[in-house]
Each structure stands twice: as structure tokens, then as C-alpha cells.
Amino acid sequence: MATAATYLSFPAAHQQPSSRVRRRQTTTRAAATVTDRQEPPAVVSPTRRLPLRKVPGDYGPPLVGALRDRAEYFYGPGGRDGFFTSRVRAHRSTVVRLNMPPGPFLARDPRVVALLDAASFPVLFDTSLVDKTDLFTGTFMPSTDLTGGYRVLSYVDPAEPSHAPLKQLLFHLLSHRAAARDPHVPRGVRGPLRPHGERAVTVRESRLRAVQRRRGAVVPLPVPPRARPGRVRAQRRRAQAHHEVGGVPAQPAAQPRPAQARRGLAPPLLPPPAGAGEKDYDRLAAFFRDAARGVIDEGERLGIAREEALHNIVFAMCFNSFGGMKILFPTLVKWLGRAGAKTHGRLATEVRDAVRAHGGEVTMRALAEMPLVKSAVYEALRIEPPVPMQYGRAKRDMVVESHDYGYEVREGEMLFGYQPMATRDPRVFARAEEYVPDRFLGEDGERLLRHVVWSNGPETASPTLQDKQCAGKDFVVLIARLLVAEIFLRYDSFDVQVGSSALGSSVTITSLKKATF
């Protein structure tokens, strides 16, 4: 895939360098930087040679240096962003050495080479140069006890034999039972689009009025409610009729509650005490063991053990889907709320005109006529990506290039990328720290999409069995567009109050103006 930088490695004498690998003596920069369409693009020579520079920074004394960096990361001025920007300023470099949490007593080796700009960051997507084995959560690898001793797909490197069938299973999970869907709908969507959006933005206005009377109270951003009891009972009856053991209908597991999903998410991701969240995770696994039996069967056909398939489904549904939306939806509404009434008016006009032109229904063709909605979603994913950190271990000696220098990295060193600094790189995006809803409109805007990398790969690429790009990338963008469309079908404008939460942003909707046109 094309990226904004060239990566250099030093192959053994008997090897021929690949098209992505160049010898040091003939290094050239492969691409110019691009700015957003609101300002003239910066012109950078595509043939200039970048000087080599030693990676600046240090790890400090053993143990003490890691503890110092951990304290600054969590408690220093400027928060997490300040931790990285202070090092960029101190070393006048966007590639630096530092220690990443959790550090001592939890992670064996916290030392990383941090890539903090749009030019160096994409090396983390090139699995011919970096190894992704057990690096989803960075320098800490959680226990696999809860997941039956299996490493779920996020921790598996594409070179491992299990990667392709596990990712194929996720593609199947997104697309199964979808034979009747619109061929233009991405994997994971079936039936009419409007109900998906309606459930996501059902707002209890009586609660909002009560909050307005009690200053400081919170109306959390609504998330899709649990299925109605009648629908759940019908689903269970169908499951009982379909899944029988020895002629006796199997007893379906109880549908998990959102709180159980939240609590069950932590143990496979964090270093909690032994046994924490085990009961909730077991309930989730019991539910999906029955509800996802057809997908588990498909996994078995792909050569995946049934329990391994089960735990990958639990992780995909509870972390990738439920957990991802718990981060993305508040983030999206936060930035839209801050965009102001003028932007809201443009979005409402675009959405309603497109829906009217398609018989009053939100269809894929109607969504295709909402370019501002799509741009607004991409901009939220750019300015605040849901998963901000990526890791990879260098497979060989190489030179990683920033905008201005080349840096030697040795085989086995851990590379770390803090994505917000790559996607807010002022050498690529004009007004990089601002939310610009129409940034990705037009030809110039479309060219910028290769620098939107929230999915662990450029937005212009599609996930494959050979990479680590999010399998549900297109589905995520689609449901975010549906959310925006549903909001502006119902409301002309809204105001928000933003706070922080363990998952990112907490959003308080302080006022809503119902649709007037």
C-alpha cells in the first residue's frame, strides 16, 4: 500500500531487497506531504535525501526511568498528549525513545521507539517489517486464562497459520445471513437501515427536561437499547427449535446485560486481579456459545477449534463492536455538538434532502448523497481515533523516516505509534487541531483519506487476510453515518457538555432543537 514515507531495511547479502526496501545509499523520499483543501498544499521535493539521525531520547536508569515516565504519562501536565509533545519539543524530533506504561512489575520491557508523525507512523502497518505477535495491548500481554488458553485474533501476527482462518471467521461473522441484503451495503448490515439508526438515538426527552431543571446532572449519550423482551423471547424460541441435543431443545443462555459486557471486557485487556470479571466473561461466553452456534460451525469448517472460535467471537462482539461503539459514538457526538448551529444546519439540510429524494427512507443510495455526513464522520475518526496506540516489533534492521530525518532502528526493538499525533500532523493537515467537518470533501479531501488510519491502515485500503486492518472497517463508518443521519432527521441542532470517562469522552446533551423543516 502507498504510504507517506519510505522504510529502509538492511537484508542479508544473499537476499534481494523488495520494492518496499531500499539500500541506504539510494534512499529517496517517496511522497510529498499534503495539506487539507482549506489552504494551499505545501510542496516538498519527492527526490530529496533525508539525513540519518540517531533516535534521540533515553530510557533512564533501569526501573527508575520507567517509573518516572509512567508517573509523567498519568499525572504530568498536559495529560497523555502532553507526555508525547513534551518529548517532541525537548528533542526536536518526532521519533524518540521513551518508556510506555504499564511498566515495572506488569510489563517485562517498557522501552519503545515512539513514532509521532504521519510520515513515520505507517511503518506499523507493514507486516513485512514489523511483527505484531502479542502486541495488541502493547508492552503488556494479558493472561489467556479466560479465553480458554487461546490468543484471540488481535494478538496473532499475520505470519502465524491461525491468522487467516480467524480473520476469515470475522468476515463471515460480519456477512452471514446477509444474502438478501442490498449489494451496496458493507458486511454486517441486514434489512432496512433506519431501525439501526433509530435505536441508536432514542432520547428520553422527559429526562432531558428534568436535567435542565437540575443543573449539573447528566444525560448520557444514548446507546442502542437491549432488544425488547418479546423479541428476545421469540429469538430464544427460534434458537430452541433450531438447536436440539438428543431430540431435546437446548436451554439458551440468558442474554447478557451491557454492564456484564463492560465488566467482562477488562480481564482480556488489562492487568486486573486474578478472577476479576471471570463470572461476567463466563456468562458472555455461555450466551455466545448458543447464540453464535452457526458462526462457530463455520469456524470449525475453517479448521478452528470450537472453543477458539467462541472466544474470538466474544472478543469481536464485546470489545471490537460493543466496546468500540462505546468509544466512537460519544466521540462523534462530542465533535458534532461542538461544531455549532451553522454546521448542524448544513448537515440537516443534506440529510433531509437525500431522504426525501428516496421516498423518506434512509437507504444506501440516500447515504451516498450525503457527502458532508461522511466527511464529518471521517473527521471525527481523524481527530480522535478510537484506538490511539499501535505497536510492532522490528523484524530486521531498518531506517524509519520522519518528514525530515531517517532513524536507524535495530531488529527486535519495539516500535510504538501514538496515532493522534500522526492524524493531527500539521505537515499533512491544515488546522490539524480543529474539527473541520468538510475536510474530506472534493478531490483534495479524498486524497487526504490515506492519512486517516483509525482502522490500523489507511482509509483508502481494504482489510485482507494478510494484514491487521480492522475487519469491520467499512461497517464502522456506515453505522457512524447512520447515527449522524438519524440525529439530523430528528433535530435541527443540539448542545453538549463534555467530560472524561474511562473510555474517553462522556457527553451530556444539554439541549435539543427538534426538526423544523
Side-chain angles (χ1 to χ4, degrees):
M1 69 184 71
T3 67
T6 301
Y7 308 109
L8 309 172
S9 67
F10 304 106
H14 65 277
Q15 293 177 318
Q16 292 297 321
S18 71
S19 60
R20 294 184 61 89
V21 178
R22 301 288 184 268
R23 296 189 184 276
R24 185 189 309 177
Q25 291 84 349
T26 59
T27 302
T28 59
R29 178 154 176 81
T33 57
V34 183
T35 62
D36 121 346
R37 68 184 184 83
Q38 288 83 10
E39 296 183 14
V43 178
V44 179
S45 169
T47 58
R48 65 174 182 164
R49 294 178 183 271
L50 295 181
L52 283 177
R53 181 182 178 187
K54 181 181 177 181
V55 179
D58 65 84
Y59 303 116
L63 186 64
V64 174
L67 290 173
R68 176 201 63 198
D69 283 0
R70 183 167 71 186
E72 185 177 346
Y73 178 92
F74 287 112
Y75 309 112
R80 185 169 63 185
D81 285 4
F83 174 76
F84 298 112
T85 57
S86 65
R87 280 154 174 76
V88 170
R89 293 193 190 100
H91 300 293
R92 301 180 67 83
S93 172
T94 52
V95 177
V96 296
R97 296 187 182 275
L98 50 83
N99 297 289
M100 275 300 294
F105 316 117
L106 294 171
R108 185 178 63 183
D109 188 351
R111 298 173 299 174
V112 302
V113 174
L115 312 177
L116 304 174
D117 65 13
S120 59
F121 188 88
V123 72
L124 293 165
F125 308 145
D126 190 338
T127 54
S128 71
L129 295 177
V130 296
D131 182 8
K132 293 286 194 172
T133 304
D134 296 340
L135 297 182
F136 178 64
T137 47
T139 58
F140 167 79
M141 171 62 185
S143 170
T144 59
D145 289 348
L146 277 182
T147 54
Y150 295 106
R151 294 156 55 235
V152 295
L153 177 63
S154 295
Y155 295 95
V156 179
D157 185 77
E160 297 181 62
S162 61
H163 184 275
L166 286 173
K167 195 161 186 180
Q168 184 62 54
L169 180 65
L170 293 196
F171 286 144
H172 174 79
L173 179 63
L174 285 161
S175 61
H176 84 295
R177 297 176 59 200
R181 64 179 169 84
D182 185 321
H184 300 288
V185 178
R187 294 183 178 101
V189 176
R190 184 186 182 214
L193 296 182
R194 183 99 194 256
H196 295 271
E198 285 182 315
R199 287 195 296 272
V201 295
T202 299
V203 178
R204 297 180 181 179
E205 294 184 0
S206 60
R207 289 187 62 196
L208 179 60
R209 287 194 294 270
V211 165
Q212 290 173 330
R213 292 193 297 268
R214 299 194 310 273
R215 186 175 180 182
V218 173
V219 177
L221 175 70
V223 297
R226 298 178 62 203
R228 296 171 183 170
R231 184 176 300 168
V232 172
R233 286 192 292 270
Q235 291 171 342
R236 289 179 180 172
R237 284 195 296 271
R238 288 194 294 272
Q240 286 177 322
H242 182 69
H243 302 308
E244 296 188 355
V245 180
V248 179
Q251 179 65 33
Q255 184 185 24
R257 297 176 180 272
Q260 291 173 336
R262 287 194 295 271
R263 292 193 299 265
L265 278 176
L269 295 170
L270 303 172
E278 182 175 356
K279 186 178 293 185
D280 291 305
Y281 185 89
D282 287 346
R283 287 173 180 162
L284 292 169
F287 172 77
F288 284 106
R289 188 175 281 110
D290 178 72
R293 189 171 300 187
V295 182
I296 295 173
D297 290 344
E298 176 65 20
E300 201 167 33
R301 284 190 287 272
L302 292 169
I304 304 169
R306 294 188 70 84
E307 283 298 294
E308 183 176 13
L310 167 67
H311 292 299
N312 274 275
I313 292 166
V314 172
F315 194 85
M317 295 300 293
C318 294
F319 175 78
N320 297 115
S321 299
F322 177 76
M325 294 310 122
K326 290 282 290 181
I327 297 171
L328 175 60
F329 282 1
T331 298
L332 179 56
V333 172
K334 174 183 83 173
W335 290 106
L336 286 173
R338 289 174 167 176
K342 183 177 179 181
T343 294
H344 296 170
R346 292 176 62 194
L347 286 164
T349 299
E350 179 181 87
V351 168
R352 294 169 201 177
D353 286 351
V355 170
R356 288 189 191 107
H358 291 272
E361 294 293 331
V362 180
T363 64
M364 286 302 299
R365 290 171 179 80
L367 281 177
E369 295 175 14
M370 303 178 194
L372 181 58
V373 168
K374 193 172 187 179
S375 176
V377 168
Y378 284 145
E379 177 69 344
L381 290 166
R382 176 200 72 85
I383 199 167
E384 193 171 342
V387 180
M389 301 179 190
Q390 281 80 30
Y391 292 82
R393 192 174 297 280
K395 288 184 173 180
R396 64 194 74 168
D397 292 349
M398 67 179 80
V399 171
V400 177
E401 292 189 351
S402 70
H403 293 295
D404 301 306
Y405 297 97
Y407 299 87
E408 288 189 351
V409 173
R410 296 303 175 190
E411 178 181 353
E413 287 195 289
M414 179 78 83
L415 298 175
F416 158 79
Y418 184 55
Q419 190 175 142
M421 293 194 70
T423 55
R424 297 182 203 160
D425 187 338
R427 300 279 288 271
V428 173
F429 296 102
R431 300 160 59 193
E433 297 292 333
E434 297 180 33
Y435 179 76
V436 182
D438 59 359
R439 186 184 298 275
F440 298 102
L441 294 181
E443 292 183 1
D444 290 344
E446 289 181 2
R447 281 193 288 270
L448 286 172
L449 284 174
R450 67 193 180 100
H451 300 289
V452 178
V453 293
W454 67 272
S455 63
N456 205 20
E459 191 60 33
T460 51
S462 296
T464 71
L465 300 180
Q466 290 76 42
D467 62 32
K468 297 301 292 181
Q469 190 165 26
C470 174
K473 162 182 168 286
D474 295 336
F475 175 67
V476 171
V477 174
L478 173 69
I479 59 173
R481 292 161 65 193
L482 284 172
L483 175 63
V484 177
E486 192 63 39
I487 288 173
F488 288 104
L489 279 174
R490 294 182 177 214
Y491 308 107
D492 286 347
S493 188
F494 63 96
D495 295 309
V496 297
Q497 178 183 321
V498 178
S500 60
S501 75
L503 293 177
S505 299
S506 65
V507 178
T508 302
I509 300 173
T510 57
S511 68
L512 290 166
K513 182 180 179 182
K514 287 189 174 182
T516 57
F517 64 92

